[in-house]
Amino acid sequence: MDISVVVPLFNEEESLPELYAWIEQVMQANEFSFEVIFVNDGSTDHSWEVIEKLKTQSEHVKGIKFRRNYGKSPALYCGFAEAQGDVVITMDADLQDSPDEIPELYRMITQDGYDLVSGWKQKRYDPLSKTLPTKLFNATARKVSGIKNLHDFNCGLKAYRKDVVKHIEVYGEMHRYIPYLAKNAGFKKIGEKVVHHQARKYGTTKFGLNRFVNGYLDLLSLWFLSRFGIKPMHFFGLLGSLMFLVGMISVVIVGASKLYAMSNGLPYRLVTDSPYFYLSLTAMIIGTQLFLAGFLGELISRNAPERNNYQIEKKI
């Protein structure tokens, strides 16, 4: 099979028939063999009924229905698991991503040899309150990830070589950083394509400003995991050792100061009367705890077998 199109969705019943008809038209015009996997992320409208109807009309339609709303990353994770195409395309269900981009994305993967191609909505039809934070967010993501050539990490329209989606784990809200996940998995040929962005035709956006706060927290988590995920002792052990060393040196200085005063007949006070003694003791205790945290981190590192256990009600 040439292409799998994975479409995560939440309450998009109006746009689904038009989106599928558009995708089907593009696929038939280019003679692609294809499948479209709709992942219904706990919609409360009639989205699943629309998907079931589309399934009766076309053998190319597949559907996954979550029992409740988990989020975009779990939807992509399950969609990737089902995908059979040599090239996997992701797009949003709100008709803001154009299926007309699919042939060129497919060519960039199959002929230009990219592992992943991310869309760049250079001209957006979003309010300034959304575009300005997006630019700041992407600038930070470029700096932290080291992927300098991407302008829009969070664009829903992306193309992947099949091996990529089968070897990355998208969880939590990490869909924003799939290029970073791919890079950490060893897929380093990552490209970008300017894509057309359309104004939303039906419904309202499902994303609020809180996604930018969550985005930065997720980026920090991903950076930490990529650097220290399998070697937490390198972080906690180093920090703990430094804290313990500072505390020990401080205690020695406090004790030496008293001994010096005693030997020279100078006035002195008990070590326990000095606030520096307690600060030093606290630093040593914290250093020990951080060091032990490193050992515990080594034991539990990357061992969360239930992290991607989602309740799927139906598959068609």
Side-chain angles (χ1 to χ4, degrees), residues 101-263:
E101 307 285 355
I102 291 176
E104 179 60 16
L105 290 171
Y106 178 81
R107 187 198 66 79
M108 293 178 72
I109 296 292
T110 57
Q111 297 183 24
D112 293 348
Y114 286 102
D115 295 314
L116 184 156
V117 179
S118 182
W120 175 22
K121 296 173 181 176
Q122 193 172 21
K123 182 179 180 181
R124 301 181 67 98
Y125 293 91
D126 291 323
L128 187 63
S129 61
K130 187 176 178 180
T131 56
L132 192 60
T134 296
K135 289 182 178 180
L136 181 61
F137 163 77
N138 283 308
T140 305
R142 282 195 298 272
K143 182 69 174 179
V144 173
S145 69
I147 306 175
K148 306 296 186 182
N149 61 318
L150 293 192
H151 294 82
D152 191 356
F153 278 73
N154 199 29
C155 179
L157 185 57
K158 289 183 172 67
Y160 313 80
R161 191 180 306 281
K162 183 180 179 180
D163 283 348
V164 176
V165 302
K166 300 301 183 181
H167 288 88
I168 61 174
E169 184 183 15
V170 188
Y171 61 93
E173 295 186 22
M174 293 298 180
H175 59 274
R176 302 180 181 93
Y177 307 111
I178 288 181
Y180 195 8
L181 292 172
K183 177 186 174 185
N184 289 339
F187 300 99
K188 297 182 179 180
K189 191 164 185 183
I190 299 172
E192 183 175 67
K193 180 186 183 301
V194 176
V195 297
H196 180 61
H197 182 229
Q198 302 180 127
R200 174 178 275 274
K201 190 173 182 179
Y202 303 105
T204 57
T205 182
K206 310 303 187 298
F207 301 101
L209 290 177
N210 65 320
R211 69 176 182 150
F212 295 108
V213 177
N214 294 337
Y216 278 108
L217 294 176
D218 289 336
L219 181 59
L220 183 62
S221 297
L222 187 57
W223 172 82
F224 181 85
L225 288 174
S226 66
R227 293 286 301 274
F228 305 106
I230 59 175
K231 47 184 179 181
M233 178 56 81
H234 289 198
F235 177 79
F236 291 106
L238 176 62
L239 190 59
S241 297
L242 289 175
M243 287 286 290
F244 187 87
L245 186 61
V246 169
M248 179 179 289
I249 292 174
S250 300
V251 166
V252 171
I253 291 175
V254 170
S257 298
K258 180 181 177 180
L259 291 175
Y260 177 80
M262 291 176 63
S263 62

Side-chain angles (χ1 to χ4, degrees), residues 7-10 39-43 66-79 170-176 206-207 308 310:
V7 184
L9 62 107
F10 178 70
V39 186
N40 182 24
D41 185 22
S43 296
F66 286 171
R67 290 188 181 276
R68 66 173 179 85
N69 179 254
Y70 286 103
K72 190 173 183 179
S73 290
L76 289 175
Y77 174 83
C78 293
V170 188
Y171 61 93
E173 295 186 22
M174 293 298 180
H175 59 274
R176 302 180 181 93
K206 310 303 187 298
F207 301 101
N308 276 312
Y310 308 113

Side-chain angles (χ1 to χ4, degrees), residues 36-39 48 51 61-65 314-316:
V36 180
I37 304 170
F38 292 105
V39 186
W48 182 248
I51 294 170
V61 173
K62 292 183 178 180
I64 299 173
K65 181 183 181 184
K314 289 183 181 179
K315 286 185 182 181
I316 57 175

Side-chain angles (χ1 to χ4, degrees), residues 5 15-30 32 34 36 38 54 91-103 157 196-199 201-202:
V5 182
S15 63
L16 293 179
E18 185 174 340
L19 175 62
Y20 178 71
W22 193 355
I23 293 174
E24 187 177 47
Q25 178 185 1
V26 171
M27 296 298 186
Q28 291 177 349
N30 291 272
F32 290 135
F34 73 100
V36 180
F38 292 105
L54 290 172
M91 62 173 53
D92 295 334
D94 54 12
L95 295 174
Q96 290 189 280
D97 296 331
S98 172
D100 290 335
E101 307 285 355
I102 291 176
L157 185 57
H196 180 61
H197 182 229
Q198 302 180 127
K201 190 173 182 179
Y202 303 105

